[in-house]
Amino acid sequence: MKNNFLLLLLLCTISLPLGLQAQKKAAAAAALASNPYQDIETYIEKARNDWQVPGVGLAVVRNGKIIYAKGFGFKDLEQKTPVSPNTQFAIGSCSKAFTAFDVCLLAQDGKLSLSKPLVEYLPDFKLQDEYAGEKLTPIDMLSHVSGLPRHDFAWYGSARTREELYKSIHLFEPTFSFRQQWQYNNFMFMTAGYLVERLSGQKWEEFTRSKILNPLGMKETNFSVVDMQKGKDYALPYGWEDKPMGKVKKLEFRNIDAMGPAGSINSSPNEMAKWVTMLLRQGKNEGQALISPEMHKELFLPRSIVSTALDSSYYTFYNLYGMGWFITDYRGHLRNEHGGNIDGFSASVALYPRDSLGIVVLTNMNGTGLPGVIRNYVADKLLGLPKVDWNEKQLSTLKKALITLEQVAQKEDDSRKKDTKPSHPLSDYVGKYKNEAYGTFELKPSGDTLDGQFNTLPLKISHYHYDVFTAEVEATKVNLALLSNLKGEIDAMEVELEAGVKPIRFERFNEGIKTSKSDLEKYVGEYELMDAKIKVFIRGETLFVNVPGQPDYELLATDDLKFDFKALKGYHIIFGAEGGKVKTLTFDQPNGKFTANKKG
């Protein structure tokens, strides 16, 4: 009996936890049945917090239907306002796929050929490489093989129009020969949008809305952060205050309307799912074909090789580019994908055409790797692939990258010449410096140092060594070399704004001061320099000088009694006055100073 009693007691102690375990399994099964995406949601919430991302929007399309759409976290972090499936995010460069679609629609309508030179449709198109400018086709333009690197600082923060940016492209130095190497370039996609405008007679925004957004019912999707902020449901942009994974701060919206075809579209998970559904259906939307099967195929044909490096650790074994889409093999599954990053937002749009699967991930965090983490995790779950902890994998990669960046920064600091000072007083560097392609740097006095502005971007400036200063612009540090002419005057600046090309040279210039015709009359007259008779006269509202045997030179007033030659850098005229009357004229030029006396 004693043995039987002990056995009964043992069975009782075993059955109790087994019963609880069964209850837990039953509860978990019930929860899974009510929400089959619970594992995905739990994973996303953890990853979102690990990456310090305020909000996430996710949409999943499978077999022609939206099977999942949900918001995570906050569109407004301070107010704790939650993200919904209809919350608008900037999709950045995911916009490029829309522009490529537009160009293929024009080709479908016979308005262009994808393989004919662009100059047949845009006769004023030019590149610094004349051969490339004459031969570049719409396919080349949309597959990043123009030979140009990014040159992004020529548009980022610029106030120029789309047409003005288009007309500056021929000024950019290439880093490779035409079709030699894949190089990402936003200007080519902006040019594609400009091409759409010239051939259709509509703005790129109007054409895209009428041909894509309206047929798909993407009613809230728009093309400017100005319009996005007029809506009721949109996310605020966020970034890091000092460095990646540092303190999170709210950013300002940045208007990039001029570069719109390369990255200005704003949309929600629900509306982007409609775009993805149509693409997975090979251009069809509810029985209507937005694009022909032939032109749909053109979008996803591999056109250029992005990278020849095999990356088995990330389960991708080639990386190609079509027109507006990266093309790769992901764990044995074809994937067409494009990411997007613009101030305060990061996104990923991925198509798995052989699996009839599409995934949209939108976030309101600047430059985060979270969209790729979520995209891969969701794809693995739905494709039944072995588990990979993408969150841990990508965070580990980021940490290694940050260490590398610190090491690079340390090496750069080691090359700095210590205990040096500028060759001029700081006031001598103050002024404006202009490059025809990149715009204007302005240096301003600020206490015992300098600050400044690059186009519309504010600069934090500190002395580096000798006549070199460091400018911090949008968390990027660049060195400015201030250069002197033969007269010892600071008259130019060189800045390394694009890797692989010569430093960008900015010439110092004066905008001039306002003068009236009556202000200029005191300078008018004839001046004698040896036997030469110099004439100063007014044409319209502008002062001119004529030297015998030379053209008339327009003068720009820069100070009282001082004028610059508008067309001759380094040449000035300084008038001398006594008792309020102008008596002399001195040519101040690189080879010396020459004074002429006023007659009468």
Side-chain angles (χ1 to χ4, degrees):
M1 286 184 64
K2 182 178 180 182
N3 289 338
N4 287 340
F5 176 75
L6 289 173
L7 180 60
L8 180 62
L9 183 62
L10 181 62
L11 288 174
C12 288
T13 57
I14 292 175
S15 65
L16 183 59
L18 286 176
L20 287 174
Q21 189 176 8
Q23 290 175 26
K24 287 182 180 179
K25 283 184 177 180
L32 188 61
S34 64
N35 182 10
Y37 303 102
Q38 185 177 20
D39 286 352
I40 290 175
E41 291 174 1
T42 301
Y43 191 88
I44 289 174
E45 270 302 314
K46 180 182 184 306
R48 184 182 71 78
N49 284 293
D50 287 346
W51 285 85
Q52 300 174 320
V53 173
V56 174
L58 172 66
V60 181
V61 172
R62 195 159 202 190
N63 297 323
K65 295 181 180 180
I66 302 174
I67 63 169
Y68 186 81
K70 185 177 175 64
F72 301 82
F74 308 105
K75 61 184 180 182
D76 184 332
L77 186 59
E78 289 73 25
Q79 300 299 320
K80 303 300 181 192
T81 313
V83 173
S84 80
N86 295 313
T87 299
Q88 296 273 313
F89 294 80
I91 69 170
S93 287
C94 300
S95 306
K96 289 180 170 65
F98 289 82
T99 300
F101 198 95
D102 288 339
V103 173
C104 284
L105 287 177
L106 291 174
Q108 178 177 288
D109 292 342
K111 293 187 176 181
L112 63 82
S113 167
L114 293 174
S115 56
K116 285 188 177 180
L118 187 62
V119 289
E120 293 195 19
Y121 314 106
L122 295 176
D124 58 347
F125 177 77
K126 290 186 292 185
L127 292 175
Q128 194 176 107
D129 179 341
E130 291 184 10
Y131 178 80
E134 292 170 359
K135 300 298 182 182
L136 183 130
T137 68
I139 288 175
D140 299 321
M141 179 173 60
L142 296 172
S143 57
H144 297 303
V145 290
S146 67
L148 290 176
R150 299 180 73 115
H151 286 291
D152 280 339
F153 271 119
W155 67 265
Y156 187 77
S158 172
R160 288 180 289 175
T161 66
R162 189 171 298 165
E163 184 172 20
E164 288 171 335
L165 290 172
Y166 163 75
K167 289 181 177 178
S168 72
I169 293 174
H170 71 282
L171 299 167
F172 300 135
E173 182 183 347
T175 47
F176 285 97
S177 298
F178 177 46
R179 294 178 183 159
Q180 178 188 356
Q181 177 74 40
W182 181 91
Q183 287 188 113
Y184 198 83
N185 183 273
N186 285 302
F187 273 96
M188 288 295 101
F189 272 83
M190 182 274 292
T191 301
Y194 186 73
L195 171 68
V196 169
E197 295 178 345
R198 291 274 285 265
L199 295 185
S200 71
Q202 293 178 284
K203 291 288 291 179
W204 166 76
E205 292 86 347
E206 295 166 358
F207 185 89
T208 306
R209 184 171 294 284
S210 65
K211 298 294 185 179
I212 302 175
L213 303 189
N214 287 346
L216 292 178
M218 298 173 70
K219 297 178 181 179
E220 300 301 320
T221 299
N222 56 72
F223 303 92
S224 171
V225 292
V226 174
D227 293 332
M228 181 167 74
Q229 292 174 81
K230 295 176 183 176
K232 296 179 180 179
D233 192 355
Y234 63 90
L236 298 179
Y238 292 88
W240 290 295
E241 194 164 280
D242 300 313
K243 58 183 180 180
M245 306 306 287
K247 184 179 179 182
V248 174
K249 69 171 184 178
K250 185 164 68 174
L251 303 179
E252 296 295 324
F253 282 100
R254 184 170 301 284
N255 188 321
I256 59 166
D257 290 4
M259 287 296 288
S264 74
I265 290 177
N266 310 296
S267 192
S268 65
N270 270 338
E271 293 205 344
M272 285 298 291
K274 296 177 180 180
W275 162 245
V276 166
T277 301
M278 179 273 293
L279 292 171
L280 289 171
R281 289 176 173 170
Q282 296 187 320
K284 293 181 180 178
N285 176 58
E286 298 179 354
Q288 175 190 6
L290 267 66
I291 197 169
S292 68
E294 294 76 21
M295 278 299 158
H296 178 271
K297 185 178 179 181
E298 292 282 350
L299 288 165
F300 301 102
L301 282 177
R303 308 287 183 177
S304 51
I305 300 172
V306 177
S307 171
T308 56
L310 301 181
D311 192 353
S312 58
S313 64
Y314 283 90
Y315 304 97
T316 56
F317 298 97
Y318 56 80
N319 198 3
L320 310 173
Y321 202 85
M323 292 194 292
W325 293 96
F326 290 93
I327 302 164
T328 191
D329 165 82
Y330 173 74
R331 306 188 76 176
H333 296 262
L334 175 63
R335 184 179 77 194
N336 302 320
E337 188 268 347
H338 212 291
N341 287 287
I342 195 65
D343 299 62
F345 298 93
S346 301
S348 174
V349 177
L351 312 174
Y352 303 78
R354 294 175 183 169
D355 303 287
S356 191
L357 174 65
I359 301 171
V360 176
V361 185
L362 310 177
T363 73
N364 58 341
M365 171 55 78
N366 196 60
T368 178
L370 183 62
V373 169
I374 295 174
R375 176 199 65 213
N376 287 358
Y377 182 82
V378 173
D380 290 352
K381 291 287 281 188
L382 296 181
L383 297 175
L385 298 172
K387 182 179 179 181
V388 174
D389 190 348
W390 290 106
N391 186 44
E392 179 57 36
K393 197 175 187 68
Q394 294 285 46
L395 282 172
S396 176
T397 300
L398 175 62
K399 289 173 184 175
K400 290 177 183 176
L402 293 177
I403 292 172
T404 301
L405 285 174
E406 288 178 3
Q407 292 171 343
V408 169
Q410 183 59 50
K411 286 182 180 178
E412 290 176 350
D413 194 59
D414 290 343
S415 66
R416 181 179 181 182
K417 308 302 181 187
K418 304 294 192 296
D419 302 320
T420 64
K421 61 181 182 179
S423 63
H424 288 246
L426 289 181
S427 59
D428 284 4
Y429 303 99
V430 170
K432 292 186 177 181
Y433 303 77
K434 187 173 184 179
N435 177 277
E436 191 178 355
Y438 272 77
T440 303
F441 268 96
E442 182 176 7
L443 302 185
K444 307 174 185 178
S446 178
D448 58 355
T449 184
L450 297 170
D451 64 14
Q453 187 165 307
F454 174 40
N455 294 322
T456 64
L457 305 174
L459 301 175
K460 294 179 181 178
I461 297 177
S462 58
H463 182 246
Y464 187 69
H465 59 209
Y466 299 115
D467 284 342
V468 177
F469 294 80
T470 296
E472 186 174 335
V473 49
E474 297 292 310
T476 300
K477 289 185 177 181
V478 295
N479 283 343
L480 320 174
L482 280 300
L483 308 176
S484 301
N485 59 24
L486 293 175
K487 295 164 66 177
E489 301 167 332
I490 303 296
D491 73 341
M493 172 195 297
E494 287 189 349
V495 192
E496 290 185 347
L497 291 174
E498 182 62 54
V501 304
K502 297 189 295 290
I504 309 300
R505 186 179 177 91
F506 293 77
E507 302 286 348
R508 191 170 188 172
F509 74 100
N510 282 314
E511 290 182 307
I513 59 176
K514 289 185 178 181
T515 55
S516 66
K517 190 173 181 178
S518 60
D519 293 330
L520 301 176
E521 285 175 350
K522 63 184 177 183
Y523 306 111
V524 173
E526 193 172 279
Y527 298 75
E528 286 185 327
L529 178 59
M530 292 186 239
D531 294 330
K533 300 209 179 329
I534 315 299
K535 291 183 179 179
V536 176
F537 60 95
I538 296 172
R539 183 184 295 157
E541 299 287 329
T542 305
L543 197 67
F544 284 80
V545 64
N546 175 266
V547 178
Q550 298 187 38
D552 297 338
Y553 292 107
E554 183 179 347
L555 300 178
L556 182 71
T558 59
D559 203 348
D560 186 33
L561 302 177
K562 185 174 180 181
F563 290 75
D564 286 353
F565 282 74
K566 197 167 184 181
L568 295 176
K569 181 175 171 58
Y571 287 74
H572 319 279
I573 283 181
I574 301 171
F575 291 97
E578 290 180 14
K581 291 185 178 182
V582 173
K583 299 288 188 180
T584 61
L585 173 160
T586 299
F587 291 98
D588 183 5
Q589 51 196 53
N591 61 333
K593 294 183 179 182
F594 307 92
T595 300
N597 295 311
K598 190 175 185 181
K599 290 181 66 176

